[in-house]
Amino acid sequence: MDLRQLRYFIALNEHRSFVRAADAMGITQPAFSRSIQGLEQEFGCVLVDRGNKDLRPTPEGQVVLQHALSLVQGAALLSSEVTQMTKLDAGEVRFGCGPAPAVKLVPDAVAQFTSAHPRVRTCFAVDNWEKLSRSLNREEIEFFIADIRHFEADPNYQTQALTPKRGVFFCRPGHPLLAKESLSTNDMFDYPLATTLIPPGIRKLLANLSGRIDFSPTIETEHFPALVKIVRQSNAIGVGTAEAFAEDIAQGSLALLHWRNLPQNIDSLNARCGIVSRSGFRLSPAARKMIEVLVSVDQQQVAIAL
């Protein structure tokens, strides 16, 4: 018995015809029939009910078919993984990222990765860290990029830190607050706040500043371009990482807000960005390579910023 015979038996079950199955496998019908007969002789039983018009497998044939499917699929996976490890010219990588990394870090990294490995399929989802962690646990993705503070103490996760991202407040040019000489955090809460899903540390900070038990933003979305557009067209105040809208600041379409009673480098406002994966699970070669590229691009962007 070999994989070739098992593939022929699977093809016979799919096509229910010796002629059509042989044609699909690219061999003559007599050679195909001899292969099936050889398989039956090896098992010592009839695998195909030739008296049935549909050539259905016998009960023994059904058992062989189930194992054949598993063995052939397993062989294909083995071949694919070895190929990826040696050449990385096949397969796919699935991962996730938060809205801020999706603005520059991830697009730059994916562009670099796909230039080096154009045959590897790359899929990434943009969402908040809560939903991404659920996708990770359901094995829909292999890793994600987000604030790692919620995960680094959890033994179920493995984290790899990237460069911390500075959290800032921003608004449209011409916003009423820009006319004031000095701004207090009290002024912030006179206007709607627009954010992505904020980590617990920043949420607690905003709650303390507002004098509330808890804090929820007026506008919340994981689509960062939409959030920025809302801020440009209203008096809403945006909260995010500086790198996510650096181009908008440089072009003058957004302005930074500075609060006199809030230290600029307050740790709870900054994002401790990093890569999160599951402990005890081996990443695919493509995922490991993508992480290498993400780390490299992150370092390059920091060097350029300096």
Side-chain angles (χ1 to χ4, degrees), residues 2-75:
D2 57 35
L3 287 174
R4 176 177 50 84
Q5 288 177 301
L6 296 178
R7 290 191 182 98
Y8 291 170
F9 187 57
I10 292 170
L12 180 59
N13 183 69
E14 290 176 351
H15 295 279
R16 301 298 171 90
S17 163
F18 279 88
V19 174
R20 290 195 298 271
D23 185 60
M25 300 306 293
I27 65 170
T28 64
Q29 188 270 325
F32 184 90
S33 296
R34 285 195 297 271
S35 180
I36 298 299
Q37 290 169 0
L39 196 62
E40 290 178 319
Q41 289 172 3
E42 185 160 353
F43 283 113
C45 62
V46 175
L47 302 179
V48 182
D49 183 0
R50 291 167 176 79
N52 188 306
K53 182 179 178 181
D54 292 333
L55 294 177
R56 295 189 179 278
T58 63
E60 295 85 353
Q62 190 64 46
V63 173
V64 171
L65 179 63
Q66 291 174 357
H67 286 279
L69 288 168
S70 178
L71 288 169
V72 169
Q73 290 171 359

Side-chain angles (χ1 to χ4, degrees), residues 166-170 182-189 193 201-202 204-210 237-240 257-270:
R166 185 168 65 94
V168 292
F169 298 85
F170 56 95
S182 179
L183 295 177
S184 165
T185 51
N186 291 331
D187 298 318
M188 178 195 316
F189 301 101
L193 258 64
I202 299 177
K204 182 179 179 181
L205 170 67
L206 293 172
N208 291 336
L209 290 173
S210 65
I237 296 171
V239 184
L257 291 167
H258 301 285
W259 318 102
R260 65 173 183 270
N261 57 332
L262 185 66
Q264 285 192 9
N265 295 321
I266 186 168
D267 183 63
S268 59
L269 186 58
N270 296 333

Side-chain angles (χ1 to χ4, degrees), residues 104-122:
K104 185 166 178 59
L105 172 61
V106 169
D108 288 357
V110 170
Q112 193 174 121
F113 177 88
T114 201
S115 295
H117 311 288
R119 295 190 178 184
V120 177
R121 186 168 183 264
T122 303

Side-chain angles (χ1 to χ4, degrees), residues 129-130 149-150 198-206 268:
W129 51 272
E130 283 186 338
R149 279 175 288 197
H150 188 73
I198 49 181
I202 299 177
R203 186 170 176 170
K204 182 179 179 181
L205 170 67
L206 293 172
S268 59

Side-chain angles (χ1 to χ4, degrees), residues 95-291:
F95 68 99
C97 67
V103 175
K104 185 166 178 59
L105 172 61
V106 169
D108 288 357
V110 170
Q112 193 174 121
F113 177 88
T114 201
S115 295
H117 311 288
R119 295 190 178 184
V120 177
R121 186 168 183 264
T122 303
C123 305
F124 66 92
V126 181
D127 218 323
N128 62 61
W129 51 272
E130 283 186 338
K131 291 183 179 179
L132 290 174
S133 66
R134 290 198 288 269
S135 294
L136 182 68
N137 291 325
R138 290 195 298 264
E139 300 185 31
E140 296 170 352
I141 56 176
E142 293 192 71
F143 67 90
F144 63 87
I145 306 115
D147 194 307
I148 62 176
R149 279 175 288 197
H150 188 73
F151 304 97
E152 57 188 352
D154 190 329
N156 294 311
Y157 297 98
Q158 182 175 333
T159 60
Q160 180 177 349
L162 296 173
T163 307
K165 311 302 178 186
R166 185 168 65 94
V168 292
F169 298 85
F170 56 95
C171 65
R172 65 174 177 84
H175 193 285
L177 288 179
L178 295 177
K180 301 186 68 171
E181 292 184 4
S182 179
L183 295 177
S184 165
T185 51
N186 291 331
D187 298 318
M188 178 195 316
F189 301 101
D190 290 336
Y191 299 91
L193 258 64
T195 75
T196 58
L197 180 68
I198 49 181
I202 299 177
R203 186 170 176 170
K204 182 179 179 181
L205 170 67
L206 293 172
N208 291 336
L209 290 173
S210 65
R212 306 170 191 170
I213 298 176
D214 196 5
F215 178 83
S216 295
T218 307
I219 303 161
E220 184 177 292
T221 178
E222 302 309 316
H223 192 269
F224 207 84
L227 187 149
V228 169
K229 194 167 184 178
I230 290 167
V231 171
R232 283 181 187 156
Q233 299 179 28
S234 71
N235 283 336
I237 296 171
V239 184
T241 58
E243 69 164 6
F245 55 93
E247 293 183 7
D248 298 280
I249 296 294
Q251 294 170 2
S253 59
L254 291 176
L256 292 177
L257 291 167
H258 301 285
W259 318 102
R260 65 173 183 270
N261 57 332
L262 185 66
Q264 285 192 9
N265 295 321
I266 186 168
D267 183 63
S268 59
L269 186 58
N270 296 333
R272 288 183 53 194
C273 192
I275 296 165
V276 182
S277 58
R278 291 182 301 163
S279 298
F281 287 81
R282 184 170 175 267
L283 294 172
S284 69
R288 293 199 297 272
K289 189 62 181 179
M290 178 62 79
I291 289 174

